[in-house]
Amino acid sequence: MHPTPSAVPARRTRRDGAVHAAAQGLLDGLETPVAAFVDLAGIGESAQALHAAWPSEVEVLHAFAAKANPLVPVLAQLRRHGMACEVSSPGELAQARAAGFTPDGIVLDSPVKTLAELASALAGGIAVNIDNFEELERVDGLIGLAAAVPRIGIRINPQVGLGSIEAMSTAGRTTKFGIALQDPGHRERLLDAYRARPWLRWVHVHVGSQGIPLELNAAGVAVAVEFAQEVNRQRPGQVVGIDIGGGLPVDFTDDADSPTFADHVAVLKQLVPDLFDGSFRIVTEYGRALMAKNGFVASRVEYTKTSGGRRIALTHVGAQVAARTTFDPQRWPLRVLVYDGDGRPSGADQEVQDVAGPCCFAGDLLAKERLLPRLSPGDLVVVPDTGAYYFSSPFHYNSLPMPPVYGFEADGDGEVRFTLLRAAETIDDVVSRSGVAPLPSPVAAR
Ligand SMILES: *Cc1c(COP(=O)(O)O)cnc(C)c1O
């Protein structure tokens, strides 16, 4: 794999600039001890790298997987950079619409769509990928409602195997997604289904997310292409497109993108050359690879202590913004970068420390026994690579409010300018999402 070294210093320089600027004001440690940040220029760079990686001979629509970062201004920024949007729930669909995506730029993949969701998506001209045979029957009953040119596909499970994180792997033998193509009878049944329905014109596959090697991803795409070709041998031209899903993994150990979008395309070209022969339009659904490196969380260190000889820094960044890491630290390790109170990279001596969050369970640790510059109260801990699936997917444990999210960009003079993308949740907001107001106490009857 060949990371793009030139992109690394720029990304790091922008982050250092933002941390320093935030330390002067936003992260006052009193009102705002923790905040999340989005690198707006980075989003443009990532989208640009994606567009550049795919050859111009193929017609490709890049649909960002909204679940990776569903903040409306983030989705809008991606739209401005030529992205479409993949959604998997009514909430994500509404977020995509709020970000300005029109139906021709939305793909609905929810694994469990209600009848009402299906009816409105089909009537609205949104592309739909069907998950199972029963959903297909439902669509049969709704197809009369569909927009003039419906974009309907079926998600197949190519059953090519699991990656290193089973929970992120969607092409195992018994995985819950799509129609398992190798199960007895399924391939024939699916071919019959396409034969009987000329409006079934897409094939969808998504092999999984973090932990899926590029070769395994390509093996799944190859199964989708072969199936589409088999349909087309019987009914020439019926399948017009392949939605290849997302799942380009992220390197959480470094600022570079590795693998890159270009690496993915190179592996696909080698292992699935027919994808590029011009017979098919392509939809991609990259999520984490576009956004992970374009966001970070920063928190003041509130206190430090030692316990059993272990030095521990108590911060405001924990499970509420990084649930995956705190619950499954082996599979989801994150880097922790240390800055001094002024927002400059710390020069303190290295020491083995734990970096703990604010939640009331012992596993609420961002880092355990990690060699880091010695942390002191008022220092800043910065957790990079959290722009996808982290602060945008909050965990409400302990009723911790969602921190504010700021976009950052350098202005003409190189000064860092922050834009509010999501306001800090207030304590009143927390109460208002905590159930209905209590009824007045019943007056005792006499
Ligand atoms: C989650 C998901 C994606 C995006 O996965 P990433 O690993 O973020 O690229 C794409 N398509 C589908 C159907 C998904 O469920």
Side-chain angles (χ1 to χ4, degrees), residues 65 67-68 86 88 109 155 170 177 204 206 208-210 245-249 285-289 388-389:
K67 72 176 184 284
E86 183 268 350
S88 286
D109 283 347
R155 176 165 179 175
T170 51
F177 295 104
H204 178 216
H206 171 68
S209 291
Q210 190 69 10
L248 189 65
E285 301 173 348
Y286 297 102
R288 70 186 64 248
Y389 299 100

Side-chain angles (χ1 to χ4, degrees), residues 279-344:
S279 324
F280 300 111
R281 284 146 64 190
I282 298 169
V283 167
T284 72
E285 301 173 348
Y286 297 102
R288 70 186 64 248
L290 277 156
M291 278 306 298
K293 300 223 169 274
N294 292 317
F296 67 86
V297 187
S299 167
R300 293 282 177 187
V301 174
E302 194 77 47
Y303 303 107
T304 59
K305 60 160 81 169
T306 57
S307 181
R310 175 77 47 78
R311 191 169 169 82
I312 304 172
L314 303 173
T315 78
H316 297 276
V317 55
Q320 89 279 28
V321 290
R324 262 180 192 160
T325 294
T326 56
F327 284 106
D328 196 354
Q330 254 69 48
R331 290 192 178 81
W332 297 102
L334 286 168
R335 290 181 287 159
V336 173
L337 311 173
V338 180
Y339 294 74
D340 64 20
D342 202 31
R344 299 293 188 195

Side-chain angles (χ1 to χ4, degrees), residues 22-98:
Q24 312 312 307
L26 290 177
L27 282 164
D28 54 21
L30 293 172
E31 287 287 306
T32 309
V34 56
F37 297 88
V38 172
D39 181 351
L40 297 174
I43 292 178
E45 282 182 6
S46 296
Q48 182 48 39
L50 171 56
H51 290 303
W54 280 79
S56 49
E57 309 88 78
V58 288
E59 191 185 329
V60 53
L61 183 74
H62 296 297
F64 173 68
K67 72 176 184 284
N69 189 324
L71 296 178
V72 170
V74 167
L75 297 179
Q77 182 82 354
L78 286 159
R79 182 178 55 73
R80 284 190 283 272
H81 288 289
M83 301 289 303
C85 193
E86 183 268 350
V87 299
S88 286
S89 72
E92 288 177 7
L93 175 56
Q95 287 162 327
R97 287 187 192 278

Side-chain angles (χ1 to χ4, degrees), residues 114 118-119 140 183 223 271 305 332 401 422 439:
T114 64
L118 276 173
D140 283 339
D183 280 17
V223 171
L271 299 180
K305 60 160 81 169
W332 297 102
R422 182 181 75 193
L439 296 169

